[in-house]
């Protein structure tokens, strides 16, 4: 699992834990009194991608009641004697995770569009990123230009610079820009 995905999942769980603690805590300094209830709720909630709760996948049982010393007794008495059942349960959960990931890829790719391909010599405009303090950002134009594509680089990147004889700023501009920050210059 990539660190980015792992980090996103940790952030999501952290936010759920914080919100749940906030709802269950009556006195601000007593949040540690409800932490076990929150842990129990998370461990026994069925996850949409696996179709099982974490406690079922880890221990092979559905926990009942409050978290206390009884959990150990329940686990000892209810643990499945057949390790093959646990393997099947975990295999089914792994299949569901893979199907969920494939579905997420399809959804992501459906929203993505192919980048525009530019050639050397094309006139383009680039997004206007004005970081001037006190400048109203709503009133600045979304794009600035025209510029010319001076060189095509790998991975959909372009070296863009001022057009000969049509310099917009005091210093000549030249930078590497991706197609997501560019659009064709339309002459009127």
């Amino acid at each position: 699992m990539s660190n980015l995905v792992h980090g996103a999942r940790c952030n999501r769980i952290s936010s759920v834990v914080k919100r749940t603690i906030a709802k269950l805590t009556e006195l601000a300094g007593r949040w540690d009194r409800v932490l076990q209830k929150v842990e129990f709720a998370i461990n026994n909630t069925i996850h949409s991608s696996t179709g099982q709760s974490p406690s079922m996948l880890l221990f092979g049982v559905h926990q009942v009641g409050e978290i206390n010393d009884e959990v150990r007794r329940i686990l000892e008495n209810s643990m499945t004697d057949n390790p093959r059942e646990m393997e099947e349960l975990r295999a089914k959960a792994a299949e569901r995770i893979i199907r969920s990931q494939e579905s997420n890829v399809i959804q992501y790719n459906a929203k993505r569009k192919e980048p525009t391909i530019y050639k050397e010599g094309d006139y383009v405009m680039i997004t206007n990123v004005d970081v001037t303090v006190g400048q109203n950002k709503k009133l600045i134009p979304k794009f600035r230009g025209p510029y010319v594509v001076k060189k095509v680089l790998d991975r959909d990147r372009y070296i863009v610079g001022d057009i000969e004889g049509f310099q917009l700023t005091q210093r000549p501009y030249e930078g590497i820009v991706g197609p997501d920050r560019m659009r064709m210059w339309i002459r009127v």
Side-chain angles (χ1 to χ4, degrees):
M1 180 184 329
S2 76
N3 287 338
L4 183 63
V5 171
H6 181 70
R9 286 187 180 154
C10 289
N11 287 341
R12 184 175 35 197
I13 290 294
S14 294
S15 70
V16 167
V17 168
K18 282 190 253 181
R19 285 192 312 250
T20 309
I21 286 174
K23 285 183 181 180
L24 294 176
T25 304
E26 293 175 13
L27 299 172
R30 302 291 182 147
W31 63 268
D32 57 330
R33 310 256 188 221
V34 298
L35 198 53
Q36 289 180 334
K37 292 179 181 178
V38 174
E39 178 187 20
F40 180 81
I42 289 172
N43 288 340
N44 291 288
T45 300
I46 294 175
H47 194 277
S48 62
S49 64
T50 62
Q52 297 293 331
S53 67
S55 65
M56 183 56 138
L57 291 174
L58 185 61
F59 304 119
V61 296
H62 293 289
Q63 294 178 354
V64 293
E66 296 277 331
I67 291 286
N68 55 27
D69 290 335
E70 288 294 310
V71 172
R72 185 168 16 105
R73 182 188 60 78
I74 292 169
L75 291 176
E76 289 170 356
N77 294 338
S78 303
M79 189 71 79
T80 179
D81 294 330
N82 189 351
R84 186 168 169 80
E85 288 179 25
M86 287 296 295
E87 288 174 18
E88 289 175 16
L89 189 67
R90 290 177 179 156
K92 286 180 184 176
E95 287 174 17
R96 286 186 63 145
I97 289 171
I98 290 169
R99 282 198 308 267
S100 175
Q101 289 172 340
E102 290 169 351
S103 172
N104 290 343
V105 166
I106 290 169
Q107 259 184 329
Y108 174 80
N109 288 338
K111 295 177 185 174
R112 189 175 183 281
K113 67 177 189 173
E114 289 297 317
T116 304
I117 306 296
Y118 298 98
K119 302 181 302 274
E120 285 185 32
D122 283 349
Y123 292 138
V124 295
M125 296 175 20
I126 59 175
T127 54
N128 195 3
V129 182
D130 189 359
V131 291
T132 309
V133 177
Q135 175 79 14
N136 186 347
K137 308 299 187 266
K138 290 181 181 179
L139 301 177
I140 63 172
K142 300 236 184 276
F143 290 89
R144 61 187 169 113
Y147 295 101
V148 66
V149 175
K150 294 190 173 188
K151 186 173 182 185
V152 178
L153 303 174
D154 292 342
R155 303 187 199 289
D156 293 330
R157 297 291 179 249
Y158 303 92
I159 295 180
V160 175
D162 285 323
I163 298 172
E164 187 87 25
F166 192 74
Q167 187 172 317
L168 297 175
T169 57
Q170 202 170 20
R171 290 187 302 178
Y173 174 79
E174 185 168 288
I176 298 174
V177 183
D180 57 322
R181 294 191 50 229
M182 298 168 45
R183 73 177 187 190
M184 291 296 279
W185 173 262
I186 301 171
R187 292 187 219 179
V188 182

